[in-house]
Coordinates of all heavy atoms in Angstrom, one line a residue:
R1 N -19.4 19.6 7.5 CA -19.7 18.7 8.6 C -21.2 18.5 8.8 O -21.7 17.4 9.1 CB -19.0 19.1 9.9 CG -17.5 19.1 9.8 CD -16.9 19.2 11.2 NE -17.4 20.3 12.0 CZ -16.9 21.5 11.9 NH1 -15.8 21.8 11.1 NH2 -17.3 22.5 12.7
A2 N -21.9 19.6 8.7 CA -23.4 19.6 8.9 C -24.0 18.7 7.9 O -24.9 17.9 8.1 CB -24.0 21.0 8.9
A3 N -23.6 18.9 6.6 CA -24.2 18.1 5.5 C -23.9 16.6 5.7 O -24.8 15.7 5.6 CB -23.6 18.5 4.2
E4 N -22.7 16.3 6.1 CA -22.3 14.9 6.4 C -23.1 14.3 7.5 O -23.6 13.1 7.4 CB -20.8 14.8 6.7 CG -19.9 15.1 5.4 CD -18.5 15.3 5.8 OE1 -18.2 15.1 7.0 OE2 -17.7 15.5 4.9
R5 N -23.3 15.0 8.6 CA -24.0 14.5 9.7 C -25.5 14.3 9.4 O -26.1 13.3 9.8 CB -23.9 15.5 10.9 CG -22.5 15.4 11.6 CD -22.3 16.5 12.6 NE -21.0 16.5 13.2 CZ -20.5 17.4 14.0 NH1 -21.3 18.4 14.4 NH2 -19.3 17.3 14.5
M6 N -26.0 15.2 8.7 CA -27.4 15.1 8.3 C -27.6 13.9 7.4 O -28.6 13.1 7.5 CB -27.9 16.3 7.6 CG -28.1 17.5 8.6 SD -28.9 18.9 7.8 CE -30.6 18.2 7.5
A7 N -26.7 13.7 6.5 CA -26.8 12.5 5.6 C -26.7 11.2 6.4 O -27.3 10.2 6.1 CB -25.7 12.5 4.5
E8 N -25.9 11.2 7.4 CA -25.7 10.0 8.3 C -26.9 9.8 9.1 O -27.3 8.6 9.3 CB -24.5 10.2 9.2 CG -23.1 10.2 8.4 CD -22.0 10.6 9.4 OE1 -22.3 10.9 10.5 OE2 -20.9 10.6 8.9
R9 N -27.6 10.8 9.6 CA -28.5 10.7 10.7 C -30.0 10.8 10.3 O -30.9 10.3 11.0 CB -28.2 11.6 11.8 CG -26.8 11.5 12.3 CD -26.6 12.5 13.5 NE -27.1 11.9 14.7 CZ -26.4 11.3 15.7 NH1 -25.1 11.3 15.6 NH2 -27.0 10.8 16.7
H10 N -30.3 11.5 9.2 CA -31.6 11.7 8.8 C -32.1 10.6 7.8 O -31.3 10.1 7.1 CB -31.8 13.1 8.1 CG -31.9 14.2 9.0 ND1 -33.1 14.8 9.3 CD2 -31.0 14.9 9.7 CE1 -32.9 15.8 10.1 NE2 -31.7 15.9 10.4
G11 N -33.4 10.4 7.8 CA -33.9 9.6 6.7 C -33.7 10.2 5.4 O -33.8 11.4 5.3
R12 N -33.5 9.4 4.4 CA -33.3 10.0 3.0 C -34.4 10.8 2.5 O -34.3 11.7 1.7 CB -32.9 8.9 2.0 CG -31.5 8.3 2.2 CD -30.5 9.4 1.9 NE -29.2 8.9 2.0 CZ -28.5 8.9 3.2 NH1 -29.0 9.4 4.3 NH2 -27.2 8.5 3.2
G13 N -35.6 10.6 3.0 CA -36.8 11.3 2.5 C -37.0 12.6 3.3 O -37.9 13.4 3.0
D14 N -36.1 12.9 4.2 CA -36.3 14.1 5.1 C -35.0 15.0 5.1 O -34.7 15.6 6.1 CB -36.6 13.7 6.5 CG -37.1 14.9 7.3 OD1 -37.8 15.8 6.8 OD2 -36.7 14.9 8.5
L15 N -34.4 15.1 3.9 CA -33.2 15.9 3.8 C -33.4 17.2 3.1 O -32.9 18.3 3.4 CB -32.0 15.1 3.2 CG -31.4 14.0 4.0 CD1 -30.4 13.2 3.1 CD2 -30.7 14.6 5.2
L16 N -34.2 17.1 2.0 CA -34.5 18.2 1.2 C -36.0 18.2 0.8 O -36.5 17.1 0.5 CB -33.7 18.3 -0.1 CG -32.2 18.5 0.1 CD1 -31.5 18.2 -1.2 CD2 -31.9 19.9 0.5
A17 N -36.7 19.3 1.0 CA -38.1 19.3 0.7 C -38.5 18.8 -0.7 O -37.9 19.3 -1.6 CB -38.7 20.7 1.0
G18 N -39.4 17.9 -0.7 CA -40.0 17.4 -2.0 C -39.0 16.6 -2.8 O -39.3 16.2 -4.0
L19 N -37.9 16.2 -2.3 CA -36.9 15.4 -3.0 C -36.7 14.1 -2.3 O -36.2 14.0 -1.2 CB -35.6 16.2 -3.2 CG -34.5 15.5 -4.0 CD1 -35.0 15.3 -5.4 CD2 -33.3 16.4 -4.0
D20 N -37.0 13.0 -2.9 CA -36.8 11.6 -2.4 C -35.4 11.1 -2.7 O -35.1 10.9 -3.9 CB -37.9 10.7 -2.9 CG -37.8 9.3 -2.2 OD1 -37.0 9.1 -1.3 OD2 -38.6 8.4 -2.6
L21 N -34.6 11.0 -1.7 CA -33.2 10.5 -1.9 C -33.0 9.1 -1.5 O -31.9 8.6 -1.3 CB -32.2 11.4 -1.0 CG -32.2 12.9 -1.4 CD1 -31.2 13.6 -0.5 CD2 -31.8 13.0 -2.9
T22 N -34.1 8.4 -1.3 CA -34.1 7.0 -1.0 C -33.2 6.2 -2.0 O -33.4 6.3 -3.2 CB -35.5 6.4 -0.9 OG1 -36.3 7.1 0.0 CG2 -35.4 4.9 -0.5
G23 N -32.3 5.4 -1.5 CA -31.4 4.7 -2.4 C -30.2 5.4 -2.8 O -29.3 4.8 -3.4
Q24 N -30.1 6.7 -2.5 CA -28.9 7.5 -2.9 C -27.8 7.3 -1.8 O -28.2 7.2 -0.6 CB -29.2 8.9 -3.1 CG -30.3 9.2 -4.2 CD -29.8 8.7 -5.6 OE1 -28.6 8.8 -5.9 NE2 -30.7 8.2 -6.4
D25 N -26.6 7.4 -2.1 CA -25.5 7.3 -1.1 C -25.3 8.7 -0.5 O -25.8 9.7 -1.0 CB -24.3 6.7 -1.7 CG -23.6 7.5 -2.8 OD1 -23.9 8.7 -2.9 OD2 -22.8 7.0 -3.6
D26 N -24.4 8.7 0.5 CA -24.1 9.9 1.2 C -23.5 11.0 0.3 O -23.8 12.2 0.5 CB -23.2 9.7 2.4 CG -23.9 9.0 3.6 OD1 -25.1 8.8 3.5 OD2 -23.2 8.7 4.6
G27 N -22.7 10.6 -0.6 CA -22.0 11.5 -1.5 C -23.0 12.3 -2.3 O -22.9 13.5 -2.4
V28 N -24.1 11.7 -2.8 CA -25.1 12.4 -3.6 C -25.9 13.3 -2.7 O -26.2 14.5 -3.0 CB -26.1 11.4 -4.3 CG1 -27.2 12.1 -4.9 CG2 -25.3 10.5 -5.3
A29 N -26.3 12.8 -1.5 CA -27.0 13.6 -0.6 C -26.3 14.9 -0.1 O -26.8 16.0 -0.1 CB -27.4 12.8 0.7
V30 N -25.0 14.7 0.2 CA -24.1 15.8 0.6 C -24.0 16.8 -0.5 O -24.1 18.0 -0.3 CB -22.8 15.3 1.1 CG1 -21.8 16.5 1.2 CG2 -22.9 14.5 2.4
A31 N -23.8 16.4 -1.7 CA -23.6 17.3 -2.9 C -24.9 18.1 -3.1 O -24.8 19.3 -3.4 CB -23.3 16.5 -4.1
L32 N -26.1 17.4 -3.0 CA -27.3 18.2 -3.2 C -27.6 19.2 -2.1 O -28.1 20.3 -2.3 CB -28.5 17.2 -3.3 CG -28.5 16.3 -4.6 CD1 -29.6 15.3 -4.5 CD2 -28.8 17.2 -5.8
M33 N -27.2 18.8 -0.8 CA -27.4 19.7 0.3 C -26.4 20.9 0.1 O -26.8 22.1 0.4 CB -27.1 19.0 1.6 CG -28.3 18.1 2.0 SD -28.1 17.5 3.7 CE -26.9 16.2 3.4
E34 N -25.2 20.7 -0.3 CA -24.3 21.8 -0.5 C -24.8 22.7 -1.6 O -24.7 24.0 -1.5 CB -22.9 21.3 -0.9 CG -22.2 20.6 0.3 CD -20.9 19.9 -0.1 OE1 -20.7 19.8 -1.3 OE2 -20.1 19.6 0.8
L35 N -25.4 22.2 -2.7 CA -26.0 23.0 -3.7 C -27.1 23.8 -3.2 O -27.2 25.0 -3.5 CB -26.4 22.1 -4.9 CG -27.0 22.8 -6.1 CD1 -25.9 23.6 -6.8 CD2 -27.5 21.7 -7.1
A36 N -28.0 23.2 -2.4 CA -29.1 24.0 -1.8 C -28.6 25.1 -0.9 O -29.2 26.2 -0.9 CB -30.0 23.0 -1.0
R37 N -27.5 24.8 -0.2 CA -27.0 25.8 0.8 C -26.4 27.0 0.1 O -26.2 28.1 0.7 CB -26.0 25.2 1.7 CG -26.0 25.9 3.1 CD -24.9 25.3 4.0 NE -25.1 23.9 4.3 CZ -25.9 23.4 5.2 NH1 -26.6 24.2 5.9 NH2 -26.0 22.1 5.4

């Protein structure tokens, strides 16, 4: 739920340090956050 909410509410450039997710959908962002976690 945390990954989904962050994907919904944060700017794509402020989800993971040094990684620009601009243009990526929530599924990609969530998957990368889960991997980092």
Side-chain angles (χ1 to χ4, degrees):
R1 296 196 303 274
E4 291 170 359
R5 287 174 182 171
M6 288 188 69
E8 291 171 358
R9 306 184 76 105
H10 278 260
R12 284 295 181 271
D14 190 37
L15 289 173
L16 295 168
L19 184 61
D20 185 3
L21 297 180
T22 303
Q24 302 297 329
D25 63 20
D26 285 356
V28 172
V30 169
L32 289 172
M33 285 189 284
E34 289 174 347
L35 184 63
R37 208 184 300 278

